């Protein structure tokens, strides 16, 4: 099974104020096992919607097409079942959970996923050891484990916290929704390292970004251009360079 | 963010929560005939072998009660209560009061085991030796208003602490009971306290002498078991100068179709530099998913900081009862004394709660803190009602109040009714209030990390209540967290 993630003709809409708006309009995308793919595209092209639909957000209604992961129909699964299967979404705007201790949250999440995968749960001591190693690696203060999830975190801290979760949950498909936006260059490097260190034959990633600069640190296998709810162009890393220089115009015109 | 259908479905499921403590215990009961009149009051007093002064005190209360009517200002609704249609005395059949655990009806012990109460001395001792995980807790178990066993009395007595059923204190320590009973909650304070004063059958009595730090947590478990009985327990806690005590109460009742009345009175007296911490985890039967049955919990709790720098701290986790009417209060009479109220009230199904506190600042430099968290789900209705009063002498009095409401679903209600009265210009009173819903963003975020929806709700609710839960003694906090989860999740999953 070389096709790890296979999306065919995916259509999705969102209902707002009684009218429904189609955002994904027949999207095709295949990510083989072990590859890192990047999606770039103008604002409003449906990139975040794609990440939400893959992670199982219920505000979006899938009206056509399919999405399979590891041979399973992803769209049939609850969000937590997708997490157990290995899907991870790093949120563009991580959500605050007042009063919920970050370390507790992480441990419960890790153990929920481990249990679902038939792995042994981690006790508090071994979890804390692991978490400390990982925060160190991400140059995060250990203090962040004691705080409430994302509450009072700076933008950069929130993104690092997402990467921390990703590393602890050990997904086989990581979707990063503009994780690089708003990061300074040091933070960007740390985030990229978080992804790169997971790279291997059993790890695939879908990286959504606006900026070519992230690709200086994460070298993708493929780059896709997304517009109007579809992938309109795919190619190697050179596509990103071309985009940076010339913008989306030529791809949009070619697709029109 | 509007609740999506998924949340509504969850709530509907949540409303059908199973009550885990709904079992009934088969213990032979000694019941007084139904109804309430002077003869019943006399009978109760006689059965408890009380001195004459106590009987007179009760009769005074009963006569006052007859002149009173039920309060109607709370935001709760219920059919009229027929006070003549209940037994006012129910006692497990025993010739004499049990002198040791061996004499206690094994059925009762089984009940306590089911409740998870570490009643056995052995278990308790094992707990103490067991790697220091558990701190010793002295337990007084009150079964249908009759205290059946009090543990650790010897250890406590060595420290000079008296912890015993109040019925026993009336006989053994009449001077203390006489001096303090009814001084914080006067006999005719309100309809339910008057009723309680007339007919209470038991409860706990605690006396901590001057300078003594009570060596362990004191705990009372209340259980209503008999059918058609009311539970009227009476608790009196006195902490002399520089004394410190932490007291916990837990409550459950069997699952029954009819409503049962629980009207307790708790009085706390804290002298100079004394500290009383009073924690409650209330889990009376809340009724079924259609609102049938459940306990009417009409309770008067009040403490007085009599001495300078005295401190009283109330912490309550209220998850049970069909109706909760309860306002644990502090009278800050000593200079620089401190009153605290930390509350979590969870209502689900058809439960109604009207709860809060009263902080009465009488002296200069008195401080009070109120943190009230209200969680409403299902078709329940929850009200925070609180009074902060600064009297003319409360120079530099300070109060901080925070009321947060969390709504789950769109069929429940949350209300905040603060009363603020200041008669001193130098007093400072702050009030903050928020109302929020569990957002779809939060739920989705947790679920995408592998939590089931119920786990996610439990996590968010526990986070919401954290400021209050952290005030509970360690072991109780764990119990309370589980309880919150159960009250909201019920049979889901």
């Amino acid at each position: 099974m070389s096709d790890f993630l296979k999306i065919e003709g995916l259509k999705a809409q969102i209902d707002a104020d009684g009218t429904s708006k189609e955002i994904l309009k027949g999207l095709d995308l295949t990510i083989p096992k072990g590859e890192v793919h990047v999606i770039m595209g103008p604002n409003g092209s449906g990139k975040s919607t794609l990440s939400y639909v893959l992670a199982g957000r219920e505000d979006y209604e899938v009206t056509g097409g399919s999405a399979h992961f590891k041979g399973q129909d992803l769209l049939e699964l609850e969000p937590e079942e997708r997490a157990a299967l290995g899907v991870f979404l790093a949120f563009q705007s991580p959500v605050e959970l007042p009063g919920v201790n970050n370390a507790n949250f992480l441990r419960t999440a890790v153990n929920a996923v481990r249990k679902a995968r038939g792995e042994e749960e981690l006790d508090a001591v071994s979890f804390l050891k692991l978490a400390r190693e990982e925060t160190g690696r991400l140059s995060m203060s250990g203090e962040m484990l004691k705080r409430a999830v994302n509450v009072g975190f700076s933008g950069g801290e929130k993104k690092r916290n997402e990467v921390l979760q990703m590393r602890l949950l050990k997904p086989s498909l990581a979707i990063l929704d503009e994780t690089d936006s708003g990061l300074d260059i040091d933070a960007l490097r740390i985030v990229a390292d978080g992804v790169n260190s997971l790279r291997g034959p059993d790890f695939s990633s879908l990286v959504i970004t606006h900026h070519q600069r992230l690709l200086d640190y994460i070298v993708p296998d493929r780059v896709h251009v997304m517009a109007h709810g579809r992938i309109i162009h795919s190619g190697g890393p050179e596509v990103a360079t071309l985009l940076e220089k010339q913008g989306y115009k030529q791809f949009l015109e070619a697709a029109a | 963010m509007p609740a999506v259908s998924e949340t509504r479905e969850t709530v509907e499921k949540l409303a059908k929560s199973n009550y885990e403590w709904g079992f009934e215990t088969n213990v032979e009961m000694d019941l007084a005939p139904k109804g309430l009149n002077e003869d019943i009051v006399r009978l109760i007093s006689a059965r408890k072998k009380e001195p004459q002064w106590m009987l007179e005190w009760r009769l005074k209360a009963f006569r006052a009660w007859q002149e009173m009517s039920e309060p109607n200002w709370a935001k709760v609704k219920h059919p009229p209560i027929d006070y003549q249609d209940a037994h006012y005395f129910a006692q497990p059949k025993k010739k004499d009061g049990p002198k040791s655990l061996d004499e206690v009806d094994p059925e009762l012990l089984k009940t306590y085991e089911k409740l998870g109460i570490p009643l056995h001395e052995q278990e308790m001792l094992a707990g103490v030796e067991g790697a220091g995980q558990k701190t010793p807790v002295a337990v007084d178990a009150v079964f249908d208003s009759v205290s059946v066993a009090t543990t650790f009395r010897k250890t406590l007595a060595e420290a000079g602490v008296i912890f015993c059923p109040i019925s026993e204190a009336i006989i053994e320590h009449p001077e203390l009971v006489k001096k303090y009973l009814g001084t914080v909650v006067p006999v005719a304070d309100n309809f339910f306290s008057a009723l309680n004063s007339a007919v209470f059958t038991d409860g706990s009595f605690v006396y901590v002498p001057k300078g003594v730090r009570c060596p362990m947590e004191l705990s009372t478990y209340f259980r209503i078991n008999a059918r058609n009985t009311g539970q009227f327990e009476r608790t009196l806690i006195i902490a002399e100068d520089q004394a410190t005590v932490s007291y916990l109460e837990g409550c459950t009742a069997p699952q029954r179709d009819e409503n049962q009345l629980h009207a307790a009175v708790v009085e706390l007296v804290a002298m100079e530099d004394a500290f009383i911490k009073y924690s409650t985890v209330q889990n009376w039967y809340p009724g079924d998913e259609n609102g049938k049955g459940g306990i009417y919990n009409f309770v008067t709790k009040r403490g007085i900081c009599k001495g300078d720098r005295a401190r009283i701290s109330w912490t309550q986790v209220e998850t049970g009862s069909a109706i909760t009417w309860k306002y644990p209060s502090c009278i800050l009479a000593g200079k620089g004394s401190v009153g605290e109220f930390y509350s979590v009230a969870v209502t689900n199904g058809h439960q109604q709660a009207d709860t809060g506190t009263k902080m009465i600042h009488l002296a200069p430099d008195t401080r009070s803190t109120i943190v009230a968290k209200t969680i409403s789900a299902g078709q329940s209705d929850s009200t925070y009602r609180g009074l902060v009063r600064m009297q003319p002498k409360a120079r530099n009095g300070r109060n901080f109040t925070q009321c947060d409401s969390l709504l789950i679903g769109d069929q429940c209600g949350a209300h905040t009714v603060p009363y603020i009265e200041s008669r001193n210009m130098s007093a400072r009173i702050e009030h903050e209030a928020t109302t929020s819903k569990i957002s779809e963003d939060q739920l989705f975020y947790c679920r995408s990390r592998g939590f089931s929806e119920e786990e996610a709700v439990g996590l968010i609710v526990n986070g919401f209540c954290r400021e209050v839960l952290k005030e509970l003694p360690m072991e109780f906090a764990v119990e309370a967290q589980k309880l919150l989860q159960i009250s909201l999740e019920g049979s889901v999953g």
Side-chain angles (χ1 to χ4, degrees):
Chain A
M1 164 110 17
S2 67
D3 289 343
F4 212 37
L5 175 70
K6 194 169 180 66
I7 304 171
E8 289 176 303
L10 188 63
K11 289 185 182 178
Q13 63 183 32
I14 189 160
D15 291 323
D17 306 324
T19 55
S20 52
K21 191 180 169 207
E22 188 170 62
I23 298 174
L24 299 182
K25 302 172 180 172
L27 181 134
D28 299 307
L29 179 68
T30 298
I31 302 182
K33 205 170 167 180
E35 291 194 2
V36 171
H37 287 208
V38 164
I39 289 189
M40 301 179 82
N43 289 331
S45 55
K47 303 189 297 294
S48 288
T49 298
L50 174 63
S51 69
Y52 279 144
V53 168
L54 292 178
R57 179 140 196 164
E58 281 144 2
D59 304 2
Y60 298 92
E61 191 192 343
V62 175
T63 50
S66 66
H68 286 83
F69 179 58
K70 294 181 181 171
Q72 288 208 46
D73 184 352
L74 208 49
L75 305 176
E76 285 290 304
L77 301 178
E78 297 293 334
E80 59 270 28
E81 293 170 329
R82 301 184 199 200
L85 192 63
V87 177
F88 178 87
L89 169 63
F91 282 57
Q92 192 180 132
S93 314
V95 180
E96 296 184 2
L97 301 175
V100 178
N101 174 273
N102 204 20
N104 245 342
F105 175 76
L106 291 168
R107 184 161 89 92
T108 318
V110 167
N111 282 336
V113 164
R114 286 180 81 102
K115 199 174 159 194
R117 291 177 191 163
E119 296 167 21
E120 207 178 309
E121 295 182 40
L122 291 179
D123 61 50
V125 177
S126 34
F127 171 78
L128 217 57
K129 190 166 166 279
L130 183 69
R132 291 228 174 87
E133 279 170 25
E134 292 293 343
T135 47
R137 184 188 184 109
L138 295 165
S139 306
M140 287 166 74
S141 139
E143 197 55 33
M144 284 175 65
L145 290 172
K146 295 181 192 158
R147 287 157 64 183
V149 180
N150 293 325
V151 177
F153 285 27
S154 71
E157 284 174 331
K158 283 184 182 173
K159 295 298 175 74
R160 276 185 224 201
N161 201 36
E162 293 293 289
V163 176
L164 173 66
Q165 292 180 36
M166 177 178 77
R167 293 196 46 88
L168 288 170
L169 291 171
K170 296 199 180 357
S172 41
L173 176 69
I175 304 163
L176 281 77
D177 187 7
E178 297 195 24
T179 304
D180 57 324
S181 63
L183 292 185
D184 60 36
I185 201 76
D186 290 334
L188 192 66
R189 262 196 209 127
I190 289 162
V191 167
D193 174 63
V195 177
N196 287 331
S197 56
L198 285 175
R199 284 180 93 152
D202 296 319
F203 175 79
S204 300
S205 185
L206 179 62
V207 179
I208 294 170
T209 182
H210 264 302
H211 306 288
Q212 200 267 331
R213 66 172 189 160
L214 177 66
L215 308 185
D216 293 341
Y217 302 100
I218 299 176
V219 180
D221 295 292
R222 301 280 288 170
V223 175
H224 308 277
V225 181
M226 185 166 177
H228 309 306
R230 278 191 204 93
I231 301 294
I232 57 169
H233 184 85
S234 299
E238 72 286 352
V239 174
T241 323
L242 213 61
L243 270 178
E244 190 75 3
K245 281 191 195 139
Q246 300 172 358
Y248 292 108
K249 206 176 161 209
Q250 54 160 331
F251 295 107
L252 290 170
E253 281 168 1
Chain B
M1 176 157 285
V4 296
S5 58
E6 185 78 13
T7 306
R8 272 196 295 276
E9 276 166 34
T10 311
V11 171
E12 277 154 25
K13 276 189 269 172
L14 293 177
K16 291 172 192 147
S17 78
N18 277 340
Y19 186 72
E20 278 195 13
W21 295 270
F23 53 85
E24 183 174 350
T25 307
N26 268 324
V27 181
E28 257 196 281
M29 295 302 290
D30 187 357
L31 277 179
K34 270 189 184 176
L36 183 52
N37 49 49
E38 282 204 14
D39 288 344
I40 292 287
V41 176
R42 284 174 199 280
L43 176 120
I44 292 168
S45 190
R47 294 303 293 268
K48 308 301 278 187
K49 301 190 176 71
E50 285 175 355
Q52 185 65 23
W53 63 266
M54 194 63 226
L55 172 64
E56 278 157 21
W57 195 86
R58 286 178 182 278
L59 289 172
K60 199 176 122 199
F62 177 70
R63 287 164 197 153
W65 177 74
Q66 282 182 306
E67 304 296 314
M68 299 169 89
S69 52
E70 270 180 53
N72 57 8
W73 41 262
K75 199 181 175 312
V76 296
K77 275 187 221 148
H78 58 81
I81 300 170
D82 183 356
Y83 291 92
Q84 298 304 331
D85 190 33
H87 298 282
Y88 286 85
F89 185 74
Q91 174 171 283
K93 246 181 200 166
K94 268 273 156 194
K95 280 140 225 139
D96 290 304
K99 290 189 182 58
S100 73
L101 281 174
D102 301 338
E103 291 181 28
V104 175
D105 190 324
E107 279 291 327
L108 268 187
L109 289 180
K110 264 191 237 162
T111 307
Y112 288 113
E113 265 174 31
K114 271 194 221 169
L115 293 168
I117 301 167
L119 246 194
H120 288 280
E121 301 278 354
Q122 278 184 346
E123 264 181 45
M124 305 273 290
L125 290 170
V128 176
E129 286 164 0
Q133 286 174 341
K134 286 185 184 171
T135 46
V137 177
V139 176
D140 182 19
V142 177
F143 199 82
D144 288 331
S145 312
V146 177
S147 181
V148 292
T150 312
T151 61
F152 275 117
R153 287 173 70 164
K154 214 169 142 245
T155 321
L156 289 167
E158 279 164 18
V161 175
I162 304 169
F163 178 39
C164 68
I166 199 161
S167 57
E168 197 180 307
I170 290 167
I171 292 158
E172 304 282 326
H173 310 282
E175 68 299 341
L176 286 172
V177 177
K178 245 178 169 169
K179 189 171 171 191
Y180 292 106
L181 190 73
T183 58
V184 190
V185 179
V187 161
D189 182 80
N190 67 68
F191 182 82
F192 297 112
S193 72
L195 177 62
N196 172 286
S197 302
V199 302
F200 78 86
T201 37
D202 227 326
S204 293
F205 176 79
V206 179
Y207 178 79
V208 189
K210 188 172 172 176
V212 172
R213 172 178 286 268
C214 186
M216 62 185 74
E217 308 267 358
L218 304 181
S219 175
T220 301
Y221 269 83
F222 295 103
R223 175 138 179 103
I224 299 178
N225 190 61
R227 212 172 268 277
N228 297 321
T229 57
Q231 173 137 337
F232 306 94
E233 81 267 359
R234 184 100 193 178
T235 298
L236 177 59
I237 300 177
I238 301 141
E240 294 283 11
D241 296 354
Q242 294 104 39
T244 296
V245 62
S246 170
Y247 179 90
L248 325 167
E249 64 171 358
C251 354
T252 57
Q255 210 159 325
R256 297 208 190 283
D257 284 347
E258 69 271 22
N259 297 105
Q260 278 177 292
L261 179 63
H262 171 247
V265 173
V266 175
E267 295 177 284
L268 312 182
V269 180
M271 309 306 279
E272 201 172 285
D273 291 302
F275 175 36
I276 301 176
K277 184 178 175 66
Y278 194 105
S279 314
T280 304
V281 173
Q282 185 264 109
N283 186 30
W284 297 119
Y285 178 53
D288 68 8
E289 68 261 40
N290 299 315
K292 194 166 189 213
I295 302 293
Y296 291 163
N297 191 33
F298 300 146
V299 172
T300 306
K301 289 183 170 176
R302 196 175 301 156
I304 181 164
C305 288
K306 256 191 146 147
D308 293 352
R309 298 170 303 279
R311 179 177 160 211
I312 288 177
S313 182
W314 298 100
T315 306
Q316 59 173 23
V317 175
E318 304 281 321
T319 61
S321 298
I323 301 177
T324 296
W325 178 99
K326 177 182 173 191
Y327 315 88
S329 305
C330 298
I331 299 168
L332 304 173
K335 233 187 272 176
S337 59
V338 176
E340 294 164 13
F341 174 73
Y342 300 97
S343 167
V344 170
V346 181
T347 53
N348 196 354
H350 291 262
Q351 282 176 277
Q352 305 172 66
D354 192 306
T355 183
T357 184
K358 286 190 271 185
M359 293 290 174
I360 314 291
H361 294 246
L362 299 179
D365 303 314
T366 44
R367 284 177 288 140
S368 61
T369 304
I370 299 170
V371 179
K373 305 275 182 177
T374 301
I375 299 141
S376 323
Q379 286 150 288
S380 67
D381 212 2
S382 189
T383 302
Y384 166 81
R385 189 182 301 277
L387 168 69
V388 176
R389 179 185 288 155
M390 297 285 175
Q391 291 291 62
K393 284 185 183 153
R395 194 166 18 85
N396 294 324
R398 287 178 59 181
N399 163 266
F400 173 74
T401 301
Q402 187 184 330
C403 300
D404 297 319
S405 311
L406 187 69
L407 302 170
I408 303 177
D410 55 6
Q411 295 178 61
C412 54
H415 319 270
T416 301
V417 190
Y419 303 79
I420 297 170
E421 301 171 10
S422 182
R423 297 191 175 88
N424 188 304
M425 290 296 282
S426 64
R428 261 171 50 198
I429 300 171
E430 290 174 69
H431 182 98
E432 288 180 12
T434 65
T435 301
S436 54
K437 280 193 162 191
I438 291 187
S439 78
E440 294 299 316
D441 284 332
Q442 288 174 324
L443 280 179
F444 176 61
Y445 189 66
C446 295
R447 293 182 73 191
S448 77
R449 298 302 182 248
F451 294 82
S452 68
E453 186 157 19
E454 302 86 80
E455 285 168 338
V457 169
L459 187 82
I460 294 163
V461 166
N462 271 306
F464 175 77
C465 303
R466 194 178 156 80
E467 283 162 277
V468 173
L469 296 180
K470 74 177 166 53
E471 295 295 328
L472 287 173
M474 190 59 180
E475 283 181 63
F476 239 37
V478 175
E479 195 181 319
Q481 276 189 22
K482 279 191 215 147
L483 198 56
L484 283 182
Q485 199 109 351
I486 291 164
S487 322
L488 286 169
E489 286 173 12
S491 54
V492 182

